[in-house]
Amino acid sequence: MPNNDSLKILITAQLDENASKDTIQKQLNTIQSKLNLTIGIDAQQISQIANQVKQLQAQFERQSKGIKIIDDENVISSINQIKKGMPEIYTSIDKALEKYKQFGQVKIEKSFDPVTRELNGFTLQLQKAQGLIERIKFDLVQLKMPDGTQNVFQVTNRKITDDTEKIREKQLQLEQKVDTQIQKQNEKLQQQLELFKRQAEINAKNLQRRYGDAVDTNALNNYLASVRSLSASTPDVKRKMDELNMTFKEISANVKSSSSHVLDFGEALKTAMVNFAV
């Protein structure tokens, strides 16, 4: 038998929003009859317990309606919304350059205090591939930290300029300028080539008139054929013109050498005839 002084009664009941004081009273009466005990709970107390249970249940329902289960996408979206409202700050110029260099070519313009000559901000000019130019202005501000204040650079202004048409126009002007230069060079080259061909024909005729049969006709004809085949579109045409000039010099040198031998033989024959007559 348990000690009466330490007798404990465990009351187990299912209390929900549908429970009434009558149900609770019946359960207590059953426990009382089985244990032969007198439970000091009257009808008013039972009614109060039932009301408290209903109030707790209603409070839980109201609170549960405000509970929303969120997933990773909701969390990321919420964080991004918070970031949009936060100022964009950097602890140094290098940190800002490191971020914006990945979006295009960056130029920096520093600004200094006119009195102290200390750096008080800078502006980044971001040149994007599609011709858009974005200017981001950073001002030096003091940020409150738990251990004091810290100087940081904060984005205070952004401006985007669309220079696509200007860039396209400049490119077109540059292409036209290059085309004009190429055309002038081609015209000049064509004039030089025509003069070279005329001079080659003149040189060949003079060589034949002066030395006659002593000229290597095959070599001279091959030389003239190569000269006549040249055009402004011939690859390395200037180099080939120089090579043909050298070819003609070789032909001329061979003719002069052959003529010199003929002259020496004639002089020797003349001298022999004179001696023979004597």
Side-chain angles (χ1 to χ4, degrees):
M1 293 294 293
N3 192 339
N4 292 334
D5 295 335
S6 60
L7 179 62
K8 296 181 181 179
I9 300 174
L10 179 62
I11 300 175
T12 303
Q14 182 179 359
L15 303 179
D16 53 28
E17 68 272 18
N18 298 320
S20 65
K21 61 183 180 180
D22 294 334
T23 303
I24 297 174
Q25 183 65 62
K26 289 178 181 179
Q27 292 176 352
L28 292 175
N29 290 336
T30 301
I31 296 172
Q32 179 178 355
S33 61
K34 289 183 179 182
L35 298 179
N36 193 21
L37 295 174
T38 300
I39 300 176
I41 302 178
D42 55 17
Q44 184 178 359
Q45 289 176 323
I46 294 173
S47 179
Q48 291 177 354
I49 293 173
N51 289 333
Q52 290 177 358
V53 171
K54 290 181 180 180
Q55 291 175 3
L56 290 174
Q57 183 66 26
Q59 183 179 359
F60 174 75
E61 289 179 355
R62 288 194 301 269
Q63 291 177 348
S64 63
K65 289 181 181 179
I67 297 175
K68 181 181 179 181
I69 300 176
I70 58 177
D71 54 16
D72 292 342
E73 292 183 359
N74 297 130
V75 173
I76 294 172
S77 177
S78 300
I79 293 174
N80 290 335
Q81 291 295 328
I82 294 173
K83 286 183 177 179
K84 288 181 180 179
M86 295 177 62
E88 186 176 347
I89 58 175
Y90 299 90
T91 56
S92 67
I93 296 178
D94 292 337
K95 293 291 185 181
L97 287 173
E98 182 180 353
K99 174 184 176 180
Y100 284 98
K101 278 183 177 179
Q102 60 184 325
F103 302 117
Q105 296 180 353
V106 179
K107 294 181 180 179
I108 183 171
E109 300 174 3
K110 297 181 181 180
S111 58
F112 299 88
D113 188 285
V115 179
T116 63
R117 304 305 302 167
E118 294 181 355
L119 181 68
N120 59 9
F122 61 94
T123 300
L124 294 183
Q125 179 173 300
L126 178 61
Q127 178 73 49
K128 297 183 179 180
Q130 61 270 32
L132 296 178
I133 297 178
E134 183 176 5
R135 292 179 62 87
I136 308 107
K137 189 174 184 297
F138 297 79
D139 287 331
L140 185 66
V141 298
Q142 284 190 339
L143 185 66
K144 291 183 179 181
M145 304 294 289
D147 55 348
T149 59
Q150 181 180 357
N151 291 334
V152 296
F153 294 100
Q154 178 179 331
V155 176
T156 57
N157 189 26
R158 289 178 179 270
K159 183 179 179 181
I160 298 178
T161 305
D162 189 354
D163 283 346
T164 306
E165 291 299 327
K166 291 182 179 179
I167 293 175
R168 188 176 302 167
E169 184 178 353
K170 288 182 179 179
Q171 290 177 345
L172 181 59
Q173 292 175 354
L174 180 60
E175 291 175 359
Q176 291 176 346
K177 185 177 180 180
V178 171
D179 291 341
T180 302
Q181 291 177 347
I182 293 175
Q183 183 177 357
K184 289 181 178 180
Q185 291 176 355
N186 289 337
E187 291 176 354
K188 183 178 180 180
L189 179 60
Q190 185 64 37
Q191 292 175 356
Q192 292 176 347
L193 188 57
E194 290 176 359
L195 291 174
F196 174 77
K197 289 182 176 182
R198 290 174 60 187
Q199 188 64 50
E201 297 287 347
I202 293 171
N203 291 340
K205 290 179 180 180
N206 289 336
L207 192 65
Q208 286 178 326
R209 184 174 60 251
R210 183 175 180 181
Y211 296 102
D213 295 338
V215 178
D216 187 346
T217 305
N218 289 333
L220 188 61
N221 288 337
N222 290 335
Y223 160 74
L224 290 174
S226 298
V227 170
R228 292 165 185 163
S229 67
L230 293 179
S231 67
S233 60
T234 301
D236 296 332
V237 64
K238 288 187 175 181
R239 179 179 60 82
K240 291 186 177 181
M241 289 166 64
D242 293 336
E243 292 177 352
L244 288 172
N245 276 334
M246 184 60 65
T247 300
F248 181 78
K249 289 180 181 180
E250 291 175 353
I251 295 173
S252 298
N254 292 335
V255 172
K256 291 177 182 179
S257 176
S258 176
S259 299
S260 175
H261 290 305
V262 172
L263 181 61
D264 291 343
F265 176 76
E267 291 294 334
L269 181 61
K270 183 179 180 181
T271 300
M273 291 300 292
V274 171
N275 292 333
F276 176 76
V278 173

